[in-house]
Amino acid sequence: VASDRADNVDDTTGFTPLVDNPFAHQTIGKRTPCLVVDKITADRNIAVMADANPGTRLRPHVKAFKSTALARRLSDAGHQGFTCATLAEVEGMMRAGLGHDLLLANQTLDADHLSRIVELDGRLTVAVDSSETIAAATAGRVTEVLIDVFVGMPRCGCPPDEAGALATQARAAGLTVRGVMGYEGHLMMIEDRWRQAEQVAAAMEDLTRAAEDVGGEIISAGGTGTYDLHTEATEIQAGSYVLMDTDYLSLGLPFDLALWVEATIISVNHHQGWLVADAGLKAMAMDHGNPTWPFGDVWFCSDEHTTLSPNGDLDRDWRVGDRVRLAPAHVDPTVAKHERMWVVADEGVVDEWPVDLRFW
Ligand SMILES: Cc1ncc(COP(=O)(O)O)c(C=O)c1O
């Protein structure tokens, strides 16, 4: 666990509980469920990563926070290029003046949308892994591509030994090939760091072999879980580290939880001893499991409710109308469910970051 964590880290949950929920009053008046970001922690995460991967060594992935306000903070921290997963993210970043060097690290066949985006101010590089996506890039008047290479995760990416031929095909179509990308997402959550480092190195052997065949200067790879394990990659695509989630927190990386879903207690069952909060699976992504609550157990989530079992005596304090904060297990899809994040610091709500890069 990070050495700069506060002393009161809870050994069971691994994160610092907001003791007596000191910030909850600050967002009273805001409707729940809502997203709350601890500004100091997010800024510290940004600084820790910028130290490890400064400037263009990091190409932050905006899919994890979907907010140009937050992307601007990363740009201010020195990262000029960004990674996107959707054309809406690319378009939003360009319209916000953050399109200096954007990588769509995903396949698209939407030549119409591409051709509208290339009219905007900015530089766009698109990942391609087939003749079809090369054709869409040229039809969409994109000029620069990366060859997306399979490095072990069964998703996009051509076989490493086909990357060179695809690059030749792209060049013949008039495209500039800037290099390769390969996302080793299947290796992010390996707890044993030595084993993880070994497997990342093996995956990157495939990518560097493909890079030799493809040419170009970029080898783009990596994520939050492998942010410090790359020697061959020229840039790292991490994004979750800014706000974090309990899944990534379990790895003991030097990034702390900055994002919470705040909810209101709408029912207290004094007889059997549970609380009901007004945030359910429509307010939090559940694909990595239940959210965590520092003051007790999460029993289950339904559409609009989470049933909580508090530690200790229920009659102690919990009342209808109390605010609670739940820590989501998966940041990206949780953020995508909301329109804004309330940014809190000691003095209360200090900012509002619109989640303006949502949808496709
Ligand atoms: C293509 C790609 N690159 C990088 C990442 C890394 O993101 P994270 O910071 O969540 O590990 C992801 C996450 O899913 C991804 O899809």
Side-chain angles (χ1 to χ4, degrees):
V1 174
S3 56
D4 62 350
R5 280 252 172 106
D7 290 333
N8 58 339
V9 168
D10 180 322
D11 286 342
T12 52
T13 59
F15 56 80
T16 312
L18 298 177
V19 177
D20 296 332
N21 218 357
F23 295 138
H25 67 281
Q26 296 162 349
T27 41
I28 283 191
K30 311 295 184 201
R31 283 199 315 227
T32 55
C34 62
L35 292 181
V36 175
V37 172
D38 178 355
K39 179 169 179 287
I40 292 161
T41 305
D43 280 346
R44 195 172 56 229
N45 290 344
I46 291 169
V48 169
M49 182 62 94
D51 205 35
N53 291 303
T56 53
R57 168 81 187 156
L58 189 78
R59 189 186 279 279
H61 207 320
V62 305
K63 73 192 265 286
F65 47 81
K66 285 186 172 283
S67 167
T68 53
L70 193 35
R72 188 156 283 115
R73 291 185 93 73
L74 294 170
S75 167
D76 292 345
H79 312 300
Q80 298 304 311
F82 287 90
T83 310
C84 300
T86 67
L87 289 173
E89 290 169 3
V90 173
E91 181 172 347
M93 289 291 282
M94 284 202 180
R95 290 192 187 280
L98 292 161
H100 173 75
D101 185 4
L102 300 180
L103 167 63
L104 179 67
N106 200 1
Q107 310 300 309
T108 183
L109 295 170
D110 194 344
D112 277 355
H113 200 171
L114 281 173
S115 63
R116 277 179 275 131
I117 287 174
V118 297
E119 296 292 323
L120 302 173
D121 229 5
R123 180 179 188 184
L124 172 61
T125 302
V126 168
V128 292
D129 73 355
S130 67
S131 309
E132 289 83 352
T133 48
I134 288 174
T138 40
R141 290 183 291 120
V142 167
T143 56
E144 298 182 289
V145 295
L146 286 189
I147 305 298
D148 191 352
V149 179
F150 169 78
V151 292
M153 179 161 99
R155 210 171 64 179
C156 301
C158 68
D161 55 7
E162 291 175 18
L166 218 49
T168 305
Q169 199 181 319
R171 289 194 179 99
L175 296 164
T176 299
V177 180
R178 295 181 71 190
V180 294
M181 71 155 273
Y183 174 55
E184 76 288 8
H186 59 304
L187 305 179
M188 289 299 144
M189 297 306 298
I190 297 178
E191 283 174 19
D192 178 332
R193 287 294 266 173
W194 291 110
R195 204 163 64 81
Q196 189 183 31
E198 262 174 31
Q199 293 195 25
V200 169
M204 290 306 113
E205 261 177 42
D206 286 344
L207 191 59
T208 44
R209 207 164 17 90
E212 280 163 23
D213 295 344
V214 164
E217 72 286 2
I218 294 179
I219 302 179
S220 194
T224 297
T226 61
Y227 80 103
D228 59 346
L229 298 180
H230 284 273
T231 47
E232 307 301 332
T234 60
E235 57 179 46
I236 307 298
Q237 299 180 356
S240 297
Y241 75 96
V242 179
L243 300 175
M244 289 292 281
D245 54 37
T246 57
D247 206 23
Y248 259 140
L249 211 60
S250 67
L251 290 182
L253 302 168
F255 310 109
D256 288 323
L257 195 71
L259 179 83
W260 303 79
V261 173
E262 189 163 307
T264 304
I265 296 298
I266 52 169
S267 181
V268 177
N269 186 312
H270 289 278
H271 303 293
Q272 275 114 329
W274 67 73
L275 313 172
V276 183
D278 68 349
L281 53 89
K282 288 182 178 168
M284 278 169 297
M286 305 289 294
D287 57 318
H288 290 180
N290 279 350
T292 308
W293 184 47
F295 299 98
D297 294 329
V298 172
W299 277 0
F300 69 100
C301 299
S302 42
D303 278 10
E304 303 291 1
H305 305 96
T306 294
T307 301
L308 303 167
S309 164
N311 293 332
D313 180 2
L314 182 62
D315 287 333
R316 196 188 48 128
D317 331 86
W318 296 104
R319 271 169 287 190
V320 171
D322 281 349
R323 294 282 179 120
V324 291
R325 288 193 174 159
L326 305 171
H330 193 184
V331 57
D332 320 47
T334 297
V335 170
K337 291 174 186 286
H338 294 260
E339 289 180 321
R340 64 184 59 81
M341 301 177 243
W342 298 112
V343 185
V344 298
D346 287 344
E347 61 272 35
V349 175
V350 293
D351 212 345
E352 175 189 341
W353 292 338
V355 184
D356 54 348
L357 298 175
R358 296 197 305 161
F359 306 122
W360 296 273

